[in-house]
Each structure stands twice: as structure tokens, then as C-alpha cells.
Amino acid sequence: MTADLFDGVDEVRPARETIADGAMLLRGFARPVQHDLLRAIDGIVTQSPFRHMSTPGGYQMSVAMTNCGSLGWVTDRTGYRYDAIDPDSGKPWPDMPPIFRELAGQAAAQAGYADFRPEACLVNRYEPGARLSLHQDRDEENYDAPIVSVSLGLHAIFLWGGLKRADKTARYRLEHGDVVVWGGSSRLVFHGVAPLADGEHALLGRQRINLTFRKAR
Ligand code: SIN
Ligand code: FE2
């Protein structure tokens, strides 16, 4: 065994990893459709461009966001909600591209959640330094359906905690094409994203794009 054979390999990355009960990381799952996804994202952002939304507390988020699907997640001074209308354009959010639906449904099924039909897809853009503090996804009407989260571009460190904010967090490196699915007893786990490290991705440049699929109603 020569040392250089393993140069740059800092961990073994199994194709799928159980993160917790009901939560799974599917590595590289979105790679076969990466070009279709990027084309579809371009179409979405021409209709509903990325914007930095404000939190109810008055802070501007470092992650830029847009949505597609019949409902989009928004935040402003009045709170968090799902809305059928893009507040910037005054029009409905762009349709969810069929490739998005298929990918989300297949990833959910792989993780044990059959018939996942999300009506909301939040598109998050992280530039170097952008982060998402620990939170629970709890703006949906019920928590029966899982969350499906697709990572594209620069890698991120995903923080995975417990059901209490103060619970200790594990760190997972999410690479281009990785998909995380969480539901069941993990549905309300606190999670977040550490400040994005700078870098240059071959397809996406200096950014990470995350697609988060949810059944909101
Ligand atoms: C989210 O929690 O909504 C997004 C997570 C991510 O960007 O990986
Ligand atoms: Fe989240």
C-alpha cells in the first residue's frame, strides 16, 4: 500500500449512511441528474430570483432563497409561512420541474418513505460564509411526511442535533449530489449548516445550492 494512493482521502464515504432513526444520507444520489437539475434551477431563478429574506426578528438571512411548487416558504417581519405567491413578483412560484418531483420521490422511497409528494421546494443559495443556524422544520401543517434535502456545488458541513436545541450536534460533510432524508422520529430534529467554506466547484463555482422538498399541507 503506497501513501499516495490514499492522498486526499480523509474518510470512507459509504453510499448510504443512517444518521439516526428515520434519517438517512444518500451519497451522490442526485449526480445522475445533476445537469437536468441545474438547467431547471436556471429556469426557476429567471422567474423568481434569489433574494435575502428577513427574519421576524429583523435580521437578513445570509442564505439567499427562492422556491418552486404550488407553495413556497417565506419569512418576513410578520413571521414564517408557506405562500402560493412570490411576494417579490406578485405571481405564483414557478412550477416544480418534473425532475425535482421524481428525484425527491425516489430519494424518500430509498429511505423508507413511500409516496412522498411534496408541493413545496425551497431553493437555498449559500455563498462563502453563509450559514443556517440550528432550527427545526415546523412550519408544515403536520409532520407525517419526511424532508428531502439535495446538495449541489460546494460542500457544506451539515449539523445534526437532537429534539432539544441544546443537544449535542454531529457534523456531516455534504458533497455535490448528496441527498439527506429525515422523517419519522427524526422529523423535528434540530439541524443547520455551518458557515460555507470558500472554494470553486467545477459546475457551480463559488456557491452551494440546496433544494429542500416538503409537504406543507
Ligand atoms: C434547511 O435546513 O432548510 C437546509 C439545509 C441545507 O442547506 O442543507
Ligand atoms: Fe431546515
Side-chain angles (χ1 to χ4, degrees), residues 17-193:
E17 185 172 344
T18 299
I19 294 179
D21 188 44
M24 190 164 271
L25 166 51
L26 306 169
R27 289 199 174 87
F29 192 82
R31 271 188 178 260
V33 293
Q34 58 187 347
H35 297 292
D36 305 291
L37 296 177
L38 296 181
R39 225 181 346 261
I41 292 166
D42 282 345
I44 292 162
V45 302
T46 46
Q47 291 180 67
S48 281
F50 285 117
R51 76 292 304 265
H52 293 274
M53 299 185 194
S54 298
T55 66
Y59 292 100
Q60 198 182 60
M61 299 189 74
S62 61
V63 179
M65 298 177 167
T66 185
N67 289 276
C68 66
S70 57
L71 290 172
W73 185 86
V74 292
T75 171
D76 59 21
R77 289 307 297 255
T78 67
Y80 308 124
R81 66 181 182 279
Y82 281 95
D83 204 315
I85 302 297
D86 173 351
D88 280 15
S89 70
K91 298 188 190 136
W93 297 103
D95 289 339
M96 194 183 296
I99 187 71
F100 278 29
R101 285 181 201 288
E102 280 159 33
L103 175 65
Q106 285 182 23
Q110 285 287 313
Y113 302 98
D115 301 320
F116 178 53
R117 288 195 198 85
E119 72 279 83
C121 174
L122 174 65
V123 185
N124 292 315
R125 185 191 67 198
Y126 296 74
E127 291 178 313
R131 61 190 289 270
L132 199 59
S133 52
L134 275 187
H135 65 279
Q136 294 169 298
D137 287 11
R138 53 182 313 156
D139 301 318
E140 299 71 34
E141 271 174 13
N142 68 67
Y143 308 128
D144 297 342
I147 309 286
V148 172
S149 162
V150 177
S151 292
L152 297 167
L154 290 178
H155 85 268
I157 301 298
F158 185 57
L159 308 171
W160 179 263
L163 294 172
K164 295 195 291 284
R165 184 181 294 277
D167 288 343
K168 140 170 157 329
T169 54
R171 299 162 73 86
Y172 290 88
R173 183 180 166 110
L174 300 184
E175 304 260 14
H176 177 74
D178 289 354
V179 179
V180 184
V181 181
W182 66 96
S185 58
S186 286
R187 178 60 181 74
L188 289 174
V189 162
F190 277 90
H191 59 280
V193 176

